[in-house]
Amino acid sequence: MAPPNPPPIPTSDPESLQSNTTTVPNPSTLQKVKTNLLFRSTWAELNGAMGDLGTYIPIVLALTLAKDLNLGTTLIFTGIYNIITGAIYGVPMPVQPMKSIAAAALSDATFSVPEMMASGILTGGTLLLLGVTGLMQLVYKLIPLCVVRGIQLAQGLSFALTAVKYVRKVQDLPKSKSLGERQWLGFDGLVLAIVCFCFIVVVNGAGEDIHDPEMSRSCVQGGESERKRRSKVRKVIFSLPSAFLVFVLGVVLGFIRRPSVVHEIKFGPSSIEVVKMSRHAWKQGFIKGTVPQLPLSILNSVIAVCKLSSDLFPGKDFSVTSLSVTVGLMNLVGGWFGAMPCCHGAGGLAGQYKFGGRSGGCVALLGAAKLVLGFVLGSSLAHFFNQFPVGIIGVLLFFAGVELAMASRDMNTKVDSFVMLISTAVSLVGSSAALGFCIGMIVFVLLKLRNWTNGKPLSTIWKHESNGEV
């Protein structure tokens, strides 16, 4: 009988020890951040960074000119938010203005910067509390997917309709008013907007992947030089950063429209000061800002963003808890220094994805550009953006809205489509996502109760597609 194998003899060779004891470690935080910020395609990510500007620029410009919002401080803080969220999530997670708070400020002369900051801080504090206590996850599980899709469809159509208004009519952004029909010619005419629209459609199509199997097949099978040349030309055209080029065109035209704007731009950051908020400001901020903003933030900035992110990036792990916490922290930090109240937004994510954003590096690049502009030009940059062609802003906003609305195309059953369209109609006509959500939930519950009375088990009354863990 053969003797048993002797135990291995210890060795003092360092390389041998390392090879014997090496295990596969979990990626470190630094490695994860590096991976999240890694560009998938430089031009595509640069192009995607422009996808949210159609929402960002009009609201920030209006608040800056009408309410004396500190643009420099807002650019600096939102730039930091962009970089951090890109590093955390690894997708083009947007940082957008809180729209209900902005609307309250632009429509009410007594709702000024202290009230805006107070409402942002209170909204952020509430979202942070919902996130850390786990209540946001419970809310996510209870809300049916068809209702979420209804809110997304309403928000997307609202963006698209606003964009058409920007293109067709001359706008006074600080007062959020249309002044009359836009002329066909000129540096901000209808022809310019139509040309930009057609250019983006030709380059980006309906948002499908750039890879064309037919082109590859023709090159492999045929091998003719003419087909190869044609396929290369198409590949170059389809990979152009269309949104970035359109935005650069807008910058050039802004300077051409009023060259003297250069003398109004001053170098150096704006002073960052703590905003003084009186007891009255806290009260008015809560009543006029937080109360209407909170339902919109929960639905469109957390739940809809979480669902859309999971749809667009199936390999990523998103949680309504983390999204709620990041929105809360952004406003609890920046609100004290006069930075515009911010949140994530499904429309911004859809717009950045539409134009090619696929990684956290997309929004990190945008954040870096905001930091540079905030530190170098500060609030004086508002003088230039006031000359930026509004028609071009409308074109960018239109595609962001359409991409968000297209997320609702997965409602395949008649019941889901019924609930979704009711939520959408009420949201659009009532100009309130909260109202559309409430009516949609009521209709959903009534339909479930109707099924129960038809003999279905009680256990199936609340089963819907969003019951899974996120």
Side-chain angles (χ1 to χ4, degrees):
M1 183 175 176
N5 291 331
I9 301 174
T11 175
S12 58
D13 184 10
E15 293 184 1
S16 230
L17 283 172
Q18 185 177 4
S19 63
N20 288 335
T21 59
T22 300
T23 58
V24 180
N26 292 325
S28 66
T29 303
L30 187 60
Q31 288 174 328
K32 184 178 180 181
V33 169
K34 186 177 179 180
T35 302
N36 286 343
L37 294 178
L38 185 66
F39 282 1
R40 303 296 181 264
S41 169
T42 303
W43 281 118
E45 301 290 359
L46 178 63
N47 196 43
M50 304 294 108
D52 192 29
L53 295 182
T55 305
Y56 185 87
I57 291 178
I59 295 178
V60 174
L61 179 60
L63 292 175
T64 300
L65 297 178
K67 293 294 178 178
D68 200 24
L69 178 76
N70 193 322
L71 178 60
T73 300
T74 294
L75 287 172
I76 291 171
F77 275 92
T78 55
I80 294 172
Y81 301 156
N82 278 131
I83 295 172
I84 293 176
T85 53
I88 291 174
Y89 296 109
V91 301
M93 188 63 68
V95 175
Q96 294 185 319
M98 286 189 173
K99 299 176 184 62
S100 288
I101 294 176
L106 293 173
S107 61
D108 189 342
T110 64
F111 200 88
S112 56
V113 171
E115 285 76 16
M116 277 193 287
M117 298 305 114
S119 58
I121 292 171
L122 291 171
T123 305
T126 304
L127 291 174
L128 180 62
L129 181 64
L130 291 173
V132 298
T133 58
L135 292 175
M136 187 64 77
Q137 185 68 29
L138 177 62
V139 172
Y140 181 82
K141 289 182 179 181
L142 292 176
I143 296 179
L145 177 61
C146 53
V147 176
V148 176
R149 291 298 193 224
I151 301 302
Q152 288 178 318
L153 180 57
Q155 189 73 65
L157 292 177
S158 177
F159 283 170
L161 293 173
T162 301
V164 173
K165 183 179 70 173
Y166 282 179
V167 172
R168 289 187 58 225
K169 298 182 180 295
V170 178
Q171 299 297 313
D172 184 353
L173 290 180
K175 296 182 180 179
S176 299
K177 290 183 179 180
S178 299
L179 302 180
E181 295 294 330
R182 189 177 299 280
Q183 295 181 352
W184 282 92
L185 302 178
F187 293 130
D188 193 11
L190 283 172
V191 172
L192 172 67
I194 292 172
V195 169
C196 291
F197 176 87
C198 294
F199 174 70
I200 291 176
V201 171
V202 169
V203 174
N204 290 85
E208 68 274 12
D209 292 335
I210 294 175
H211 176 68
D212 188 351
E214 188 63 33
M215 288 196 304
S216 302
R217 192 160 46 250
S218 67
C219 293
V220 173
Q221 293 177 354
E224 296 91 341
S225 59
E226 178 63 23
R227 288 187 177 180
K228 287 184 177 180
R229 185 187 65 80
R230 192 184 310 161
S231 66
K232 287 181 179 179
V233 171
R234 292 181 65 188
K235 187 175 181 181
V236 169
I237 293 175
F238 294 163
S239 61
L240 287 173
S242 57
F244 176 73
L245 293 177
V246 167
F247 180 76
V248 171
L249 174 64
V251 172
V252 173
L253 292 178
F255 279 113
I256 294 177
R257 291 178 71 188
R258 189 162 166 257
S260 61
V261 74
V262 178
H263 303 294
E264 299 176 6
I265 296 178
K266 299 178 181 179
F267 292 97
S270 305
S271 58
I272 299 178
E273 300 175 352
V274 177
V275 178
K276 296 180 180 179
M277 289 167 275
S278 64
R279 185 176 179 179
H280 177 75
W282 286 103
K283 180 181 178 181
Q284 293 300 308
F286 176 77
I287 296 173
K288 297 181 179 180
T290 300
V291 171
Q293 177 63 50
L294 197 55
L296 183 62
S297 292
I298 292 174
L299 292 172
N300 192 55
S301 303
V302 178
I303 294 176
V305 169
C306 185
K307 181 56 188 169
L308 183 62
S309 300
S310 300
D311 293 340
L312 299 178
F313 305 96
K316 296 286 186 178
D317 182 24
F318 297 96
S319 165
V320 288
T321 299
S322 63
L323 288 169
S324 185
V325 168
T326 53
V327 174
L329 290 176
M330 284 192 302
N331 292 283
L332 285 178
V333 174
W336 298 100
F337 302 99
M340 172 193 63
C342 294
C343 59
H344 304 308
L349 176 60
Q352 287 166 163
Y353 184 89
K354 162 71 179 178
F355 289 113
R358 296 295 184 272
S359 72
C362 167
V363 287
L365 179 64
L366 178 62
K370 288 180 181 178
L371 283 175
V372 171
L373 292 174
F375 280 115
V376 175
L377 300 179
S379 294
S380 65
L381 190 64
H383 296 292
F384 164 71
F385 278 122
N386 201 24
Q387 303 303 318
F388 195 92
V390 178
I392 289 181
I393 295 176
V395 171
L396 295 176
L397 181 60
F398 179 83
F399 285 104
V402 169
E403 185 69 20
L404 176 58
M406 287 176 66
S408 62
R409 67 186 183 275
D410 61 350
M411 293 290 98
N412 299 319
T413 68
K414 191 169 184 178
V415 171
D416 287 342
S417 299
F418 180 74
V419 175
M420 177 189 72
L421 292 175
I422 287 178
S423 298
T424 300
V426 175
S427 297
L428 287 176
V429 176
S431 300
S432 171
L435 181 60
F437 164 75
C438 291
I439 300 299
M441 287 297 297
I442 291 172
V443 173
F444 177 81
V445 172
L446 291 175
L447 291 175
K448 289 298 181 181
L449 289 173
R450 182 175 182 272
N451 290 336
W452 175 55
T453 58
N454 287 339
K456 290 193 176 183
L458 186 63
S459 59
T460 64
I461 225 171
W462 205 265
K463 285 188 177 179
H464 53 271
E465 292 180 66
S466 62
N467 271 340
E469 292 293 332
V470 181

